[in-house]
Amino acid sequence: MNRFDPFKDDVEIQWCPGCPNFGILTAVKKAFLDLQLEPHQVCLVSGIGQAAKLPHYVQCHFFNGLHGRAIPVALGIHAANPELITVVTTGEGDCYGEGGNHFLHALRRNPNITVVVHNNEIYALTKGQASPTTPPGEVRSLQVHGVEAWPLNMPAVAVLHDAAFVARGFAADPDQLKDLLVKAIRCPGLSVVEVIQPCITWGRYPVSWYRERLRPVAPDHDPTDKAAALRLLCEADGRFVTGVIFRGPRRQLFGERFRAALEGKALVHMEFPSKEEVARFLKGFLQTP
């Protein structure tokens, strides 16, 4: 382990040179250092896509699984070991497309995890097809007459369902993004940080085009004001709003109730049941009612 950067990994990075994903990687590692975390305290979880490669480049626990299935895996990790800082790194296609149903139900359950969504508005790993956030009318490799479907606004959905924390950052501004990630990880409950992450290979516009359109939330914005947060996200150019947009009310965390039934113990601290206990438990399911 590198004592100057304990999260540094020697794995060769596969992103395009100059990809804004490097800014997200820097922000993630800086956030962990700011929080004085050590690698064994962190678990990164991802599915498939360019964003899903990020855990490969960080020295810590990680799980890289199926397309769109990062959130349920992270939810299980949080339930079994709530002492781990569990962070999902996912793209908008992975999270809002293949994993959209899992995202919705995570909002209901409120696990204490942070979901970082790299949003470049395309499926970059497979050469630029339209994703759930591609603007209507944009011509893509498979949408040669322009995208017809209306884009999903998942940050607004998260606000509507009282997510604990909703923010948006910019990949080319790792310092601001680091601050947002620190706040997200500190916030109990489901935190969603969407990151505007221009794709310099398959995207339509350069990084500067996005930078010119960013709209930081006003200093007097009250993130506990749900209606104000929805107005910010749903206005015509709401996709460029950055900063802390919403802080939801305190809600019971996923797993708190069943841990209370187990004398407050997490599964990771419990002894495995004996084979006899498992057999008795399963017998109830095998019997015909």
Side-chain angles (χ1 to χ4, degrees), residues 5-288:
D5 181 1
F7 293 96
K8 179 177 170 42
D9 200 300
D10 293 329
V11 173
E12 182 181 1
I13 295 180
Q14 300 294 319
W15 293 325
C16 301
C19 175
N21 268 330
F22 284 94
I24 301 177
L25 176 62
T26 298
V28 167
K29 292 203 294 183
K30 283 187 172 181
F32 292 158
L33 291 171
D34 261 27
L35 291 163
Q36 299 184 325
L37 295 171
E38 296 183 20
H40 72 273
Q41 297 174 295
V42 176
C43 186
L44 293 175
V45 187
S46 64
I48 297 295
Q50 296 291 4
K53 295 178 181 175
L54 188 143
H56 303 181
Y57 312 138
V58 182
Q59 184 74 250
C60 66
H61 303 290
F62 82 87
F63 185 99
N64 190 182
L66 299 174
H67 211 349
R69 304 299 184 264
I71 286 179
V73 172
L75 193 145
I77 292 169
H78 157 65
N81 188 356
E83 295 170 7
L84 275 177
I85 300 298
T86 304
V87 178
V88 172
T89 61
T90 176
E92 89 283 1
D94 188 57
C95 187
Y96 301 160
E98 285 82 359
N101 199 35
H102 296 302
F103 183 86
L104 293 176
H105 290 281
L107 291 170
R108 294 173 53 225
R109 296 183 173 113
N110 195 36
N112 188 24
I113 65 174
T114 298
V115 179
V116 183
V117 185
H118 305 211
N119 184 5
N120 55 21
E121 301 181 340
I122 54 169
Y123 283 95
L125 186 67
T126 49
K127 304 185 178 180
Q129 298 90 348
S131 79
T133 60
T134 306
E138 189 165 300
V139 174
R140 303 303 317 171
S141 55
L142 288 181
Q143 292 77 27
V144 294
H145 300 297
V147 174
E148 295 181 1
W150 201 250
L152 284 173
N153 187 339
M154 284 299 206
V157 173
V159 171
L160 195 62
H161 288 82
D162 289 325
F165 183 91
V166 179
R168 185 186 283 130
F170 184 48
D173 187 354
D175 289 335
Q176 183 222 27
L177 181 57
K178 181 265 293 180
D179 291 340
L180 295 176
L181 293 173
V182 168
K183 292 173 182 172
I185 292 170
R186 281 180 172 154
C187 181
L190 180 63
S191 298
V192 180
V193 180
E194 188 176 85
V195 187
I196 298 172
Q197 180 251 311
C199 177
I200 59 175
T201 300
W202 302 104
R204 179 166 294 273
Y205 304 106
V207 174
S208 58
W209 185 89
Y210 288 90
R211 193 187 299 281
E212 290 164 3
R213 286 160 178 78
L214 295 180
R215 291 180 46 236
V217 295
D220 61 351
H221 170 64
D222 176 6
T224 65
D225 186 335
K226 189 172 184 175
L230 286 172
R231 279 197 299 273
L232 275 178
L233 291 167
C234 295
E235 57 191 16
D237 56 353
R239 67 194 252 233
F240 299 114
V241 171
T242 63
V244 178
I245 297 167
F246 181 67
R247 286 182 182 274
R250 178 73 167 89
R251 293 164 49 198
Q252 185 177 52
L253 301 178
F254 179 78
E256 277 186 338
R257 188 164 56 181
F258 72 69
R259 278 194 290 275
L262 299 172
E263 301 176 349
K265 292 181 180 176
L267 293 178
V268 73
H269 294 311
M270 298 180 69
E271 296 291 333
F272 281 105
S274 66
K275 286 195 287 187
E276 291 75 18
E277 288 176 298
V278 173
R280 279 197 298 273
F281 179 77
L282 293 177
K283 188 177 179 181
F285 291 94
L286 298 174
Q287 290 176 334
T288 304

